[in-house]
Amino acid sequence: MKILQKICFVLLLGTFSSVYGGDCFDGNNFDINICQKQSEQGDADAQYNLGWMYFHGLGVPKDYKEAVKWYTKSAKQGYAPAQNNLANMYDKGQGVPRNGSIANDWWSKSGGQREARREEQGED
């Protein structure tokens, strides 16, 4: 019986940590409150995810300026996907004035981490 209790405890603990300590966005499910909290605490992955949510309007109003804000925070921490998406936004003038020079700088930084220069965000 004690073994069964331990197994249940481990399963419960694993579920709790994955819901409350894991990713705020997994591509299909998102929790804006968790994402916002983790982003404000400096989590580069959460900042990227929050930028993605604002870019696409997932759980929040679509807002390119907010997407740029969160991608920038993540990109400055060296998170290559954020650097790539930020470059795309500067290249297209989404949420920021169009600036090829800044776009190329961010693409260079993301490229140095083997992040291909591609359209991560999809068409918009």
Side-chain angles (χ1 to χ4, degrees), residues 55 64 68 71 85-94 121:
F55 185 87
Y64 289 154
V68 167
Y71 281 154
N85 286 1
L86 190 56
N88 288 334
M89 293 187 81
Y90 273 101
D91 185 54
K92 295 176 182 177
Q94 295 171 311
Q121 304 181 108

Side-chain angles (χ1 to χ4, degrees), residues 49-85:
N49 288 332
L50 192 55
W52 179 272
M53 292 163 76
Y54 276 108
F55 185 87
H56 292 284
L58 299 173
V60 294
K62 184 183 261 189
D63 186 335
Y64 289 154
K65 288 184 181 184
E66 276 296 303
V68 167
K69 171 186 166 182
W70 292 108
Y71 281 154
T72 300
K73 288 178 182 285
S74 180
K76 286 183 176 180
Q77 293 187 67
Y79 196 73
Q83 292 169 336
N84 186 65
N85 286 1

